[in-house]
Every structure is written in structure tokens, then in C-alpha cells.
Amino acid sequence: MGHEPPPGMVSEALSLATVVECVCRLVGGVSDLCGITPQNGDEPLVMSTNPRCDVQVMLQNVEVTRSILDRTWNYFLASLQTLMVTLTSPPLLSLVLSSYASFTHTCGALQLLGPRDKALAPLCRSALPGNPSDGTPVALKPYNILISKVLLRLVFELGSVLAEAWMLV
């Protein structure tokens, strides 16, 4: 028999999936406030072409979103990074990386350069496995491939506004 939790208790896997879902929905909600459409699969992150509100409301949303991220970006980023390095399940990791990309793109769209660059740096470090000192090649793992895809997508989407952040990439 497997290790089933006692009645009334939730499994560790269900708890982790719930945490991932909560963090991803929070990030998605903040991104949605400034018009960044959620990412589905390999679709690029883009500003919404059909806003659900008029220009004045959208500008207010951008101000509110910028204010929210100014105060909370480090918590969002810490949560996403913790999940990124902890998860071993490719579907959950893919979900977290989609939210990570939305967060990074939102910071870029709002010209929050510090948070954007702090989000890009771990992706750059994690895209390729470390180089061993003896020079032998290291195989890419699914983790590295998923992160590389997200990083490349962000570079294409934010490339024209990266400025000094190109040095990170």
C-alpha cells in the first residue's frame, strides 16, 4: 500500500500543486491588470490588442499594477524562484515558468528595470548546466530546456528594451 494521508489531511503533492496554482494565479492577475495576456504553451506574451476597458482605465490599471509590483516584486520573485528550483515535475515547472515569464514581461512593460533584471539573471544562470572544470560536456536536462525556451521567448519579446540587461543574457 502507498503512503496515503490520514482522513482529513492532504497529500504533500496536492499541497505543492495548490501552492503552485496560487502563486501562478497571483502573478497572472497582476500581469492581466496591465494588459499582458497569459501565456498558453508556446504562444508569445503580448500586450492585449483588445483591452476590456477604455484608455483611462487601462492607464489607471498600469499605475496600480506598477505600485503593486514596486512593493511586492521581491516576494513574487522569491516565490517563483523557489518553485523553479524545487519542482521536479515538468508540468508543474512549465506552469511556474509561464508565470515567471509573465512576471518578467510585466516588469519590462512597466519599465521596472531592477525587478526585470533580477528575474532574468536566474533564468540566464539556469538555462545551461554548469561547466565542469575538466571540460567534459554536460547533457541538457528537461529543466534546462524549459528554462532556455522561456529565456529565448523573453529575449525576443523584450529585446528592444533590454539595454544594459543584454549583458545578463
Side-chain angles (χ1 to χ4, degrees), residues 3 5 14 39 42 60 67 73 78 87-88 102 124 131 139 161 169:
H3 294 278
L14 182 59
Q39 180 179 356
D42 289 333
Q60 288 172 345
S67 176
W73 70 267
L87 293 173
T88 57
S102 293
C124 294
N131 294 331
V161 295
V169 180

Side-chain angles (χ1 to χ4, degrees), residues 73 77 81 100 103-109 111-125 151 154-155 158-159 161-169:
W73 70 267
L77 191 55
Q81 287 175 347
Y100 199 108
F103 172 81
T104 308
H105 194 238
T106 300
C107 290
Q111 298 179 354
L112 295 169
L113 305 183
R116 180 205 63 196
D117 294 351
K118 296 273 188 192
L120 280 173
L123 290 176
C124 294
R125 287 191 302 268
L151 181 61
L154 284 168
V155 166
L158 297 174
V161 295
L162 283 178
E164 296 86 31
W166 273 108
M167 298 303 290
L168 292 171
V169 180

Side-chain angles (χ1 to χ4, degrees), residues 81-111:
Q81 287 175 347
T82 299
L83 290 171
M84 184 176 81
V85 299
T86 304
L87 293 173
T88 57
S89 164
L92 285 178
L93 180 60
S94 183
L95 181 62
V96 167
L97 288 174
S98 291
S99 292
Y100 199 108
S102 293
F103 172 81
T104 308
H105 194 238
T106 300
C107 290
L110 295 173
Q111 298 179 354

Side-chain angles (χ1 to χ4, degrees), residues 43-148:
E43 293 177 18
L45 292 167
V46 293
M47 296 297 283
S48 178
T49 55
N50 298 316
R52 296 180 302 227
C53 53
D54 64 20
V55 173
Q56 183 65 28
V57 172
M58 184 58 106
L59 289 174
Q60 288 172 345
N61 282 351
V62 167
E63 283 183 38
V64 169
T65 305
R66 187 176 173 86
S67 176
I68 290 170
L69 281 177
D70 265 341
R71 293 182 178 100
T72 60
W73 70 267
N74 50 341
Y75 303 110
F76 279 119
L77 191 55
S79 299
L80 289 167
Q81 287 175 347
T82 299
L83 290 171
M84 184 176 81
V85 299
T86 304
L87 293 173
T88 57
S89 164
L92 285 178
L93 180 60
S94 183
L95 181 62
V96 167
L97 288 174
S98 291
S99 292
Y100 199 108
S102 293
F103 172 81
T104 308
H105 194 238
T106 300
C107 290
L110 295 173
Q111 298 179 354
L112 295 169
L113 305 183
R116 180 205 63 196
D117 294 351
K118 296 273 188 192
L120 280 173
L123 290 176
C124 294
R125 287 191 302 268
S126 301
L128 297 173
N131 294 331
S133 57
D134 62 2
T136 58
V138 178
L140 288 175
K141 297 178 182 167
Y143 171 86
N144 303 111
I145 294 168
L146 286 171
I147 290 174
S148 295

